Amino acid sequence: MKTDSFKLRHIGPSEKDLKDMLHTVKAESMDQLIYETVPDDILLKKPLQLDEAMSEQEYAAHLLELAAKNSVFKTYIGLGYHEASLPAVIQRNILENPGWYTAYTPYQAEIAQGRLEALLNYQTMICDLTGMELANASLLDESTAAAEAMTMLYAGRTRDQKKSECNKFFVSEEILPQTLSLLKTRAIPLAIELVIGNHETFEFSSEFYGALLQYPGKSGEVFDYAAFVENAHAADIKIAVAADILSLVTLKSPGSFGADVVVGTTQRFGIPLGYGGPHAAYFATREEYKRNIPGRIIGVTQDTNGDRALRMALQTREQHIKRDKATSNICTAQVLLAVMAGMYAVYHGPNGLKYIANKVHTSATILSKTLSKLGFTQLNENFFDTIRITADSNKIKTLAEAKQVNFFYPDASTVSIALNEATTVKDLNTIISIFAESSGKEAVVIRDISKEETSISQNLARTTDFLTNEVFNSYHSETELMRYIKKLERKDLSLNHSMIALGSCTMKLNAAAEMLPLSDPQWGNIHPFVPIEQAQGYQELLSKLEDQLTEITGFAGTSLQPNSGAQGEFAGLMVIRAYHESRNDHHRNICLIPSSAHGTNPASAVMAGMKVVVTKATDEGNIDVDDLREKAEKHKDNLAALMVTYPSTHGVYESAIREITSIIHENGGQVYMDGANMNAQVGLTNPGAIGADVCHLNLHKTFAIPHGGGGPGVGPICVAEQLVPFLPGNPVISTGGEHAITAISAAPWGSSLACIISYGYITMLGADGLKNATEYAILNANYIKERLNGHYSTLYSGERGRAAHEMIVDCRPFKANGIEVTDIAKRLMDYGFHAPTVSFPVAGTVMIEPTESESKAELDRFCDALISIRKEISEATKDNTNNMLKNAPHTLAMVTADTWDFPYSRTEAAYPLSYIAENKFWPSVRRVDDAYGDRNLICTCEPIESYMEEA
């Protein structure tokens, strides 16, 4: 075995396994299998042009060389990003722990109670600090969250406002520049008119439905918005507030002065800057918006025994239900980062957060007074952490950068300084020395900041308690927090226990060599708006990653900015929209979408201002080409795009794909390819070869970024030559095409820190390794298909009977035995497995995708489990619901109880196959009651009184 070959470590089956597996799938060779699976006319004729694969050791040395090209200055730029101190106990036990970062979105609640509790803590923290009633489990970044607030309030306008076509949205000129850019992106297709101005002189009128305020403002000034909010509500205008989370420890909460929505980022709660992300945004609102809030909400319910359990609440809001009626295409969160931010609050508690916030604020106040003593004018009256100094910006910039310090320079005569948790007395004196030198005066030395000082007027100061729940007042030593994190981890099934065979989700290995750089401060402590020359390591890496993805997709250009798959969809469609408009084809607004498409596809199309026309599928699950042609020709004058997933959502390489893309082009449209199934293309074919014009890539699927329990995600877009000029830009750091659309995410290159993972994946696999990964993904899927043959029916397959990298298994016939697909999903937990994707894209089925990372032994364990369950199904009847499937999952408490009232043994319930005893995973609750939780919606931790009553 070549011990320095990353490919052999990443790909699960061994050479011996390959021979046995090919025999099982009745193929003489891998080449034969691929020939029988992938249409010949789209196969690549030459290998990918990528650098030779590196070993793990070579890659580690390469990353160190790149990291050394980053200059980590002390940075006080602010603008929504601040250096934060990540507690080592959280770094080691969550960020660096595959038990947390390899978990999937908690759709299967019984084996995700740990993550769900951590997210409930996060939601409680947000509600407490914002003063709101309801918060979701995180969004992508502050700017995205603000845009979601704008569109949610737009969708929730009163009947009279809709009737009068009220479409104006006021935006304070104090809003962050990246947020304003993103608001413009979202507003244009919905015909929302943004009015940017001074909130103090704004004239309220019935033309406005909503407003957005920044708290504190981008200048650092803290405004009293109470009168503004009162006047707005009197005019039936709803208010969103973008608030700095750490400032809310000391400032009056937005909820207390009447805000309807509060958004922001929790990056300050221990999350590395990472050149822009990933960070967990927050979104909090009033309970009246519980059916409209974007993203996911964690709620309290009960299990079969009536015991407390957690699960994702109000799941009917998901896009695969609402489709083109959805008001948001958000289908992911930033769970790993939200868990870390929540644990930061658990670790520090309310008193710890007060200490941190007061230290930051006192430092800013003392700095302001000291600079005033040197003769400088400080412009902010009320401020939390940011002061503005009147000074020669160019002169200060030269002196500051010489001392490796970054400030923000709004104009030629103003210097803005945003202090942070990591700012020390030594740092303050360095800042003072820069200004003293610029004025030719002797520096005044600060010696102590222990005595609290304030620059916040009494009417703006917080007077209410927060984080009173027991969880925020119990784990302040490292030992206690370490044990609490472990306690929650034990309740979650992740990839470090067993395979997670989720169709369309690609739960592959997230290699340690790819993940390690995330802990390096040379990558973590770079602000997204530092001068480009300070981030040369990042620039080199991101540019190379863009080139790699461009080559892999067969396109001409790439943007890494979209920070989720859904945002990639939206970005791709907005680029298509801009392309049509550049050709004076403003009328092109029809988007054809196959009936089998992901639910985010129609939601994204509507967000991009397009009208959705659904095309039919054949009985074989393919796109009905005749129906597509008919609709494309019918709408040829207004056709904008086709959204197509390839291989199809049904797990098949459709042989007519080139004909399909040609039909669209012949009728004036562009082809958007959803990259969800790109793991079945890399190295064998690509979007360029099938005739697409743009695709998004799920880096958290195909390119090894971990799912993190439901995020981070990264969804870059790759485009053909004619679309390159329209790739998205950023208002602070120049990026994107010559005619760039406005921002898709807050940071210029989105979640840059996470992009390092995909760069490592591609760099260590190389062209051959990437192709082999795709081949083995196809082999593993077809191996499962053959092993299950005779026990389960595969619903769709290609023309030669092959599956792609995933397949749909039909569970609908089992209704005759009284068994639903959900029962199979829950029973799999007893066998130590997470269920495949349930009832998507076809109700009553499971979609299985094993990925290339799983060994033959693991595939066999999974198949053995399903075959054993099939035997249990055959023994079930409609009349007797007291069976192993209906009672699944079985918990440790059930199996060890004094009484056992079931017609099967404890061994059959908990250890149905021999391998399970060696590595048993116990679901921590019985089957959860979703309906009960929705009827009795509780989305925060219980108040402290409930713990006192129990005691």
Side-chain angles (χ1 to χ4, degrees):
M1 179 181 184
K2 293 178 65 178
T3 58
D4 59 354
S5 170
F6 177 76
K7 177 177 74 173
L8 295 181
R9 303 298 191 183
H10 175 79
I11 293 174
S14 66
E15 288 186 22
K16 179 181 179 300
D17 291 337
L18 175 61
K19 184 178 179 181
D20 294 340
M21 293 170 74
L22 286 171
H23 177 75
T24 299
V25 302
K26 303 177 183 61
E28 293 294 324
S29 65
M30 185 72 86
D31 287 344
Q32 180 190 338
L33 174 64
I34 299 305
Y35 172 76
E36 293 174 354
T37 306
V38 186
D40 186 60
D41 67 334
I42 64 169
L43 282 171
L44 299 180
K45 307 309 178 192
K46 60 180 183 178
L48 296 173
Q49 300 302 299
L50 298 170
D51 292 343
E52 188 176 342
M54 291 186 188
S55 68
E56 291 186 36
Q57 293 77 17
E58 289 169 332
Y59 178 69
H62 170 63
L63 255 284
L64 285 175
E65 288 178 11
L66 285 181
K69 296 181 181 181
N70 291 328
S71 300
V72 182
F73 284 19
K74 294 298 294 187
T75 297
Y76 309 103
I77 293 173
L79 294 181
Y81 299 95
H82 305 265
E83 185 179 350
S85 299
L86 170 59
V89 62
I90 296 175
Q91 175 178 318
R92 176 57 60 90
N93 292 287
I94 296 178
L95 177 62
E96 298 175 350
N97 182 353
W100 285 94
Y101 67 69
T102 70
Y104 182 60
T105 306
Y107 286 109
Q108 298 294 335
E110 297 83 357
I111 51 175
Q113 290 295 298
R115 251 168 307 133
L116 290 166
E117 181 172 328
L119 290 174
L120 193 73
N121 294 344
Y122 173 87
Q123 290 177 181
T124 304
M125 171 189 83
I126 298 302
C127 288
D128 279 9
L129 288 170
T130 61
M132 303 305 284
E133 298 163 343
L134 184 67
N136 68 15
S138 76
L139 287 180
L140 305 175
D141 59 34
E142 178 173 328
S143 300
T144 306
E148 292 290 336
M150 176 183 74
T151 53
M152 186 189 82
L153 295 176
Y154 181 71
R157 290 170 299 166
T158 65
R159 187 175 299 176
D160 288 344
Q161 286 175 328
K162 290 177 180 177
K163 190 175 179 180
S164 65
E165 298 184 350
C166 171
N167 72 333
K168 287 187 177 181
F169 188 75
F170 173 76
V171 181
S172 166
E173 60 192 12
E174 283 286 332
I175 211 73
L176 297 176
Q178 64 269 28
T179 298
L180 178 58
S181 183
L182 211 146
L183 290 173
K184 290 176 180 177
T185 310
R186 294 288 190 87
I188 291 168
L190 298 179
I192 295 172
E193 183 182 342
L194 299 182
V195 177
I196 299 103
N198 186 329
H199 75 273
E200 293 175 333
T201 59
F202 172 63
E203 294 185 10
F204 298 89
S205 78
S206 59
E207 294 178 294
F208 290 83
Y209 73 88
L212 175 65
L213 307 170
Q214 192 83 41
Y215 184 64
K218 70 177 180 183
S219 64
E221 186 75 43
V222 181
F223 298 97
D224 186 345
Y225 290 126
F228 180 92
V229 174
E230 185 178 353
N231 291 332
H233 284 164
D236 224 351
I237 298 171
K238 298 293 189 282
I239 301 297
V241 176
D244 179 283
I245 193 73
L246 186 61
S247 75
L248 298 184
V249 173
T250 59
L251 296 179
K252 186 183 294 184
S253 72
S256 69
F257 58 74
D260 300 288
V261 186
V262 188
V263 300
T265 175
T266 56
Q267 181 266 315
R268 298 194 83 156
F269 279 17
I271 310 302
L273 286 163
Y275 205 38
H279 309 137
Y282 70 84
F283 189 108
T285 188
R286 303 197 179 282
E287 193 160 330
E288 65 189 88
Y289 291 107
K290 66 184 180 184
R291 295 278 175 184
N292 307 97
I293 188 171
R296 299 169 180 150
I297 309 171
I298 308 309
V300 180
T301 187
Q302 60 185 26
D303 70 2
T304 302
N305 286 350
D307 294 329
R308 181 182 182 271
L310 306 174
R311 94 299 182 223
M312 292 204 302
L314 304 174
Q315 288 189 28
T316 53
R317 297 173 304 103
E318 292 287 305
Q319 288 73 21
H320 67 270
I321 302 294
K322 287 192 173 181
R323 301 181 73 80
D324 58 309
K325 300 295 189 294
T327 55
S328 168
N329 73 344
I330 291 288
C331 70
T332 190
Q334 296 279 26
V335 168
L336 185 67
L337 296 313
V339 167
M340 291 169 64
M343 285 298 177
Y344 179 93
V346 169
Y347 191 43
H348 292 310
N351 291 330
L353 291 184
K354 286 176 186 175
Y355 173 82
I356 293 166
N358 288 336
K359 181 186 169 194
V360 171
H361 179 58
T362 295
S363 295
T365 301
I366 292 173
L367 179 62
S368 174
K369 290 180 178 179
T370 306
L371 292 177
S372 296
K373 289 177 184 176
L374 288 173
F376 291 95
T377 302
Q378 201 283 112
L379 301 173
N380 288 338
E381 180 183 352
N382 286 285
F383 57 87
F384 170 64
D385 61 7
T386 302
I387 59 175
R388 286 184 300 151
I389 307 297
T390 299
D392 184 332
S393 293
N394 288 330
K395 191 173 184 181
I396 294 292
K397 187 173 189 289
T398 301
L399 294 170
E401 290 184 358
K403 294 192 176 185
Q404 296 198 322
V405 171
N406 289 318
F407 301 128
F408 177 55
Y409 307 96
D411 54 53
S413 60
T414 310
V415 180
S416 176
I417 307 170
L419 302 186
N420 56 65
E421 177 189 5
T423 305
T424 64
V425 172
K426 181 181 177 182
D427 295 330
L428 294 176
N429 285 317
T430 300
I431 294 170
I432 292 164
S433 71
I434 292 166
F435 281 86
E437 185 177 350
S438 76
S439 62
K441 296 182 180 179
E442 187 176 343
V444 179
V445 178
I446 297 173
R447 304 197 183 279
D448 182 32
I449 56 169
S450 60
K451 183 181 178 182
E452 289 184 17
E453 296 194 33
T454 185
S455 299
I456 299 171
S457 62
Q458 196 169 355
N459 65 311
L460 291 169
R462 186 180 191 111
T463 57
T464 54
D465 290 334
F466 58 93
L467 304 187
T468 57
N469 306 82
E470 186 180 43
V471 71
F472 299 110
N473 294 277
S474 301
Y475 306 108
H476 302 325
S477 75
E478 179 166 338
T479 303
E480 289 299 320
L481 186 68
M482 176 180 67
R483 288 173 181 162
Y484 177 59
I485 292 171
K486 189 65 180 179
K487 172 188 168 185
L488 298 189
E489 182 194 340
R490 284 198 301 266
K491 297 180 180 182
D492 281 13
L493 191 145
S494 303
L495 275 175
N496 63 349
H497 181 274
S498 58
M499 73 181 288
I500 301 178
L502 285 155
S504 193
C505 294
T506 316
M507 300 292 292
K508 65 171 65 183
L509 171 71
N510 316 117
E514 297 157 2
M515 298 294 294
L516 282 174
L518 274 62
S519 297
D520 185 344
Q522 288 290 119
W523 296 109
N525 280 352
I526 307 285
H527 190 290
F529 299 147
V530 298
I532 289 289
E533 58 271 16
Q534 291 178 26
Q536 285 305 297
Y538 260 119
Q539 287 298 309
E540 192 172 322
L541 184 150
L542 296 174
S543 177
K544 188 63 179 287
L545 177 59
E546 288 174 352
D547 290 344
Q548 290 170 332
L549 297 177
T550 299
E551 170 66 16
I552 287 166
T553 56
F555 280 140
T558 293
S559 170
L560 298 172
Q561 193 175 122
N563 50 8
S564 82
Q567 297 311 292
E569 290 179 19
F570 176 66
L573 292 175
M574 289 300 287
V575 164
I576 288 174
R577 177 190 172 104
Y579 166 74
H580 285 312
E581 290 182 348
S582 74
R583 295 156 56 88
N584 292 319
D585 283 344
H586 301 270
H587 52 281
R588 290 195 174 274
N589 67 345
I590 299 295
C591 186
L592 301 183
I593 300 180
S595 58
S596 62
H598 290 85
T600 52
N601 284 181
S604 296
V606 170
M607 278 177 58
M610 297 182 184
K611 295 180 180 178
V612 173
V613 174
V614 177
T615 67
K616 297 176 183 175
T618 66
D619 292 340
E620 293 77 31
N622 297 324
I623 292 173
D624 187 324
V625 178
D626 291 336
D627 182 62
L628 178 91
R629 180 181 287 106
E630 178 186 330
K631 286 170 177 168
E633 291 176 353
K634 177 182 177 182
H635 297 289
K636 64 181 180 181
D637 293 337
N638 298 306
L639 182 62
L642 164 74
M643 297 186 80
V644 62
T645 301
Y646 199 78
S648 73
T649 311
H650 291 144
V652 176
Y653 291 90
E654 299 186 44
S655 59
I657 187 62
R658 287 178 64 87
E659 180 184 1
I660 288 167
T661 57
S662 294
I663 290 170
I664 301 304
H665 291 147
E666 288 164 7
N667 290 280
Q670 296 280 285
V671 176
Y672 164 90
M673 193 206 83
D674 186 308
N677 293 339
M678 193 68 194
N679 208 48
Q681 286 197 42
V682 179
L684 296 179
T685 185
N686 60 40
I690 71 170
D693 300 288
V694 55
C695 75
H696 90 267
L697 300 173
N698 295 105
L699 298 192
H700 50 289
K701 296 182 182 182
T702 305
F703 296 97
I705 291 176
H707 283 70
V714 180
I717 56 170
C718 306
V719 300
E721 188 173 3
Q722 74 274 13
L723 300 181
V724 170
F726 308 102
L727 289 174
N730 180 275
V732 182
I733 300 290
S734 178
T735 186
E738 185 182 350
H739 304 291
I741 62 172
T742 43
I744 293 295
S745 73
W749 289 274
S751 294
S752 300
L753 186 64
C755 286
I756 298 173
I757 302 165
S758 297
Y759 176 72
Y761 173 81
I762 296 169
T763 302
M764 287 188 283
L765 278 178
D768 288 342
L770 289 169
K771 181 183 178 184
N772 290 160
T774 307
E775 292 170 335
Y776 275 89
I778 293 169
L779 173 63
N780 284 2
N782 280 280
Y783 180 75
I784 290 178
K785 178 175 177 286
E786 291 302 321
R787 281 239 31 215
L788 296 182
N789 190 26
H791 305 281
Y792 296 87
S793 297
T794 301
L795 206 51
Y796 305 107
S797 57
E799 293 173 2
R800 294 186 174 92
R802 298 296 189 187
H805 65 312
E806 62 187 5
M807 71 273 195
I808 297 172
V809 170
D810 194 359
C811 302
R812 293 172 296 185
F814 308 142
K815 289 185 178 182
N817 299 73
I819 300 302
E820 302 287 340
V821 67
T822 300
D823 301 321
I824 299 170
K826 304 308 179 188
R827 181 59 174 152
L828 266 171
M829 297 175 190
D830 291 328
Y831 286 80
F833 287 105
H834 192 293
T837 302
V838 175
S839 289
F840 175 81
V842 180
T845 67
V846 293
M847 183 159 56
I848 300 172
E849 180 184 353
T851 84
E852 71 277 7
S853 300
E854 299 300 342
S855 67
K856 178 178 179 294
E858 185 70 358
L859 299 178
D860 283 334
R861 277 190 288 271
F862 179 70
C863 291
D864 290 345
L866 281 174
I867 291 167
S868 177
I869 288 172
R870 180 65 184 88
K871 185 173 183 293
E872 295 170 2
I873 293 170
S874 66
E875 296 168 355
T877 64
K878 267 188 175 180
D879 301 328
N880 180 15
T881 58
N882 189 11
N883 59 55
M884 286 182 283
L885 286 116
K886 289 293 184 184
N887 291 327
H890 297 81
T891 63
L892 180 61
M894 289 174 67
V895 174
T896 57
D898 291 338
T899 57
W900 181 258
D901 297 326
F902 303 103
Y904 47 88
S905 71
R906 298 174 198 257
T907 301
E908 289 174 307
Y911 301 101
L913 292 175
S914 58
Y915 74 81
I916 298 169
E918 299 174 11
N919 189 27
K920 176 66 180 175
F921 180 88
W922 291 101
S924 52
V925 297
R926 293 194 66 189
R927 196 175 302 195
V928 301
D929 187 338
D930 290 324
Y932 177 88
D934 285 350
R935 289 194 306 270
N936 304 276
L937 188 63
I938 300 172
C939 297
T940 56
C941 301
E942 291 90 338
I944 192 70
E945 290 77 16
S946 66
Y947 296 105
M948 293 166 64
E949 288 168 9
E950 289 173 9

